[in-house]
Amino acid sequence: MTVHSQGATTSAPQDAPPTSAGRPEVPAAKTGPGDTPPRGGRKPLPSGWLPYLLVLPAVAGLAVLLLYPLIKNVILSFQDINKIEFIQRKYPFAGFANYTQLLTDSAFWTVVVRSFAFTFANVVLIMVIGSLVGILLNRLGKWMRLVLSMALVMAWAMPIVASVQVFYWLFDEQFGIMNWVMRTAGFSGYEQHNWFESGLSTLTIVTVLVVWGSIPFVALNMYAGLTTVGAELYEAARMDGANGWQTFWKVVFPNLKPFFLVTTFLEVIWVFKAFTQVYAMNKGGPDRASEILPVFAYVEGQSQAHYGLAAAISVLTILILVVVMSFYFRLILKQEEEQ
C-alpha cells in the first residue's frame, strides 16, 4: 500500500518493475522477428549488395584473364610491330594501317569465306548427326544405351591433339588405313595417295575429326531433352496418324526448340574458333590453303612475325563473330518472349 500525503491510498501492481527515483521509464524499442541487432556497433551491409559481393571474385578473375589481354590486344592492333621492332622494343603507332591492309587484302577475305564455309558445314553435320544419335539413344534398350553412351563419352573425352594424331595416321600416305580401304573397295589411284595435298581435302579430314568429337555433346543433350517430352504426346501423334518425321517436327522440335537454339549457338562459337584441329593436322597447309581465321592470325603473328597485323586479325575475328551472334541472340530472345 502506498500512502499519499492527502491520506488517500492506492494499490500498486505487484508485478510492475521497480523504477529508480528520478529516472523516467523508457519504452523498449520494438524489433521485428527478423531483426538482429548489430554486434560491436557495426552497421550491417545492405542485403542488395550480397549478390554483387558473391560474384566479385569471378568478375575480377575474368577481368584479369580476359579483359586485360583483350585491351592489350586491341592496343597492339594499332601498332606496327614486326620482328625488328619487337627486338628493339619499339612500338610505333600505326593507326588503322593494319586494318586497312587486311580489309584490302584478297587473301584475308578468302580466309573469311573459308572460315564461314568450314563453320557452316561442321555445324550442320554436328546438329543433324548428333540429333539422330540422340533419338537413337532414346529408342535403344537399357544395356545398348549404356554401351553407346560410354562410347560417346570416351570419344568426347579424348584429348584433341591425340585424336588429331590418330586421324593423321588413318590418312597417312604410306601406312594409312584409308588408302588400304579405298584399294580394297576397288578404287584406283590410292597407292600412296596423299590426302593432304590440297586445302580442301585437308579441311575435309579436319571436318570429319571435328564432327566426330562434337557429336557426343549434341547426342547426350538431345537424349536428355527427349526424356522431358511426355509419352502422351507421342501417343497423341500416333493416334493422329503421324509418321516418324511428322512426329519429330510436330512434337519433338517444338518442345526442344530452346535446346536446338542454345546448342547450335555453342557449336557455332566452338567451330568458328577451332584452332588446334586445323593447325595440328597440317599447320594450315599446304601453302596456307587450309587456314581459317584463328590459324591465319597465329601464322601471321608467330611464323611471319607480324604481331600488329595478327592482333588486328584477331580483333576482326571477334567482331565478325559478335555480328554473326547478334542475329542469333535475337532469335533466342524472341523465343524467350514467346514463352
Side-chain angles (χ1 to χ4, degrees), residues 15 30 37 81 94 127 145 166 169 176 219 222 266 330:
D15 56 349
K30 297 181 179 180
I81 302 178
M127 293 303 300
R145 183 188 302 125
V166 170
W169 288 340
M222 180 68 177
L266 293 175
R330 292 178 60 184

Side-chain angles (χ1 to χ4, degrees), residues 114 117-126 129 167 199-215 271 277-278 281 292:
R114 185 185 302 138
F118 176 76
T119 302
F120 178 79
N122 277 271
V123 172
V124 170
L125 291 174
I126 290 169
I129 301 177
F167 271 74
L200 179 61
S201 61
T202 300
L203 284 179
T204 302
I205 297 172
V206 175
T207 298
V208 176
L209 170 62
V210 173
V211 172
W212 171 81
S214 300
I215 283 176
V271 174
Q277 296 91 332
V278 179
M281 186 67 73
I292 58 176

Side-chain angles (χ1 to χ4, degrees), residues 171-174 179 189-197:
F171 293 90
D172 184 71
E173 180 178 354
Q174 187 173 358
N179 281 335
Y190 286 93
E191 187 71 31
Q192 295 188 353
H193 174 70
N194 183 12
W195 292 87
F196 302 98
E197 64 182 356

Side-chain angles (χ1 to χ4, degrees), residues 78-105:
F78 291 99
Q79 296 173 336
D80 185 16
I81 302 178
N82 300 307
K83 185 178 294 184
I84 297 177
E85 289 80 7
F86 183 77
I87 295 174
Q88 296 177 348
R89 295 183 178 275
K90 295 181 180 179
Y91 311 108
F93 182 73
F96 290 93
N98 292 325
Y99 292 97
T100 303
Q101 179 180 347
L102 287 173
L103 296 177
T104 56
D105 187 6

